[in-house]
Amino acid sequence: MATTTTTTTPATAATALSPDDTASLLAWIDAIPLSRPKRNLNRDFSDGVATAEVIHHFCPKLVDLHNYSPAHSVAQKMYNWSTLNQKVFRKLGFTTTREAMAGIVANRAGCVESLLWELRGKLDHYLARRRPSSSSARPWSIGSPVPPPVAAVAGGKPVPPPLLPLKPVPAVAAVPRAPPAVPLAP
């Protein structure tokens, strides 16, 4: 997948994604359960709450959702984005500029897509670094349209993870019970 996005560490002004990359990004976002319905990408992600939920979906320990409140004011939206930038994006290995955050808050076309594209790559890289190197590593990646908890995809159809074999329970000897007590007549 070729993109026209830059690979610099700070996410800067909006760079246009190819139609294939945009479709892939939208499919990725649609596969993630969010607290609010997804209607307009620019508006839905403008306050930073949905972005925090996306990160929380893949890395629950990385983001505290209670730090981000749904907002309509520009000041609160910028506060949410600044908090994400300082507390979460740095842990993922990138930061974004104030201009990029202002573009997202102002619902400028392409701004949120560029940030989400870079975030998707950083999440994939972050999880790959923390994934065990054994053969039991999960075969999914953030870049795939099917996010966890689906463990594998076979023939384009999701396959749930295999169930663990149950160990037989040893038989327990029956304990004799006392006969029921007969009620005394009054």
Side-chain angles (χ1 to χ4, degrees):
M1 276 192 273
T3 65
T4 58
T5 58
T6 58
T7 57
T8 59
T9 300
T12 56
T15 53
L17 297 177
S18 71
D20 289 340
D21 291 342
T22 302
S24 171
L25 181 69
L26 293 175
W28 179 67
I29 292 295
D30 283 340
I32 300 169
L34 298 177
S35 64
R36 296 181 290 194
K38 301 163 224 147
R39 295 187 181 127
N40 179 318
L41 192 67
N42 291 329
R43 190 174 52 234
D44 295 340
F45 282 81
S46 70
D47 63 1
V49 174
T51 305
E53 289 178 358
V54 166
I55 297 167
H56 187 265
H57 177 76
F58 294 104
C59 307
K61 293 182 179 180
L62 205 59
V63 62
D64 293 323
L65 291 179
H66 69 273
N67 288 334
Y68 309 95
S69 58
H72 295 289
S73 73
V74 171
Q76 182 61 43
K77 289 179 181 183
M78 286 300 287
Y79 175 79
N80 284 349
W81 279 104
S82 295
T83 304
L84 268 173
N85 198 30
Q86 293 170 3
K87 293 188 175 195
V88 180
F89 290 170
R90 284 190 183 175
K91 292 177 185 174
L92 292 172
F94 82 107
T95 59
T96 189
T97 63
R98 200 132 177 88
E99 294 81 23
M101 289 188 284
I104 294 170
V105 167
N107 298 331
R108 278 192 219 120
C111 289
V112 75
E113 290 92 343
S114 296
L115 183 118
L116 289 174
W117 184 261
E118 186 168 352
L119 175 65
R120 180 179 173 182
K122 294 297 181 178
L123 278 170
D124 207 11
H125 182 65
Y126 179 85
L127 291 174
R129 287 189 321 231
R130 279 156 178 64
R131 194 174 296 144
S133 60
S134 68
S135 62
S136 65
R138 294 183 184 180
W140 55 266
S141 73
I142 297 295
S144 68
V146 181
V150 176
V153 176
K157 296 182 181 175
V159 176
L163 297 175
L164 297 174
L166 296 175
K167 295 180 181 176
V169 179
V172 178
V175 177
R177 292 187 170 197
V182 179
L184 298 174

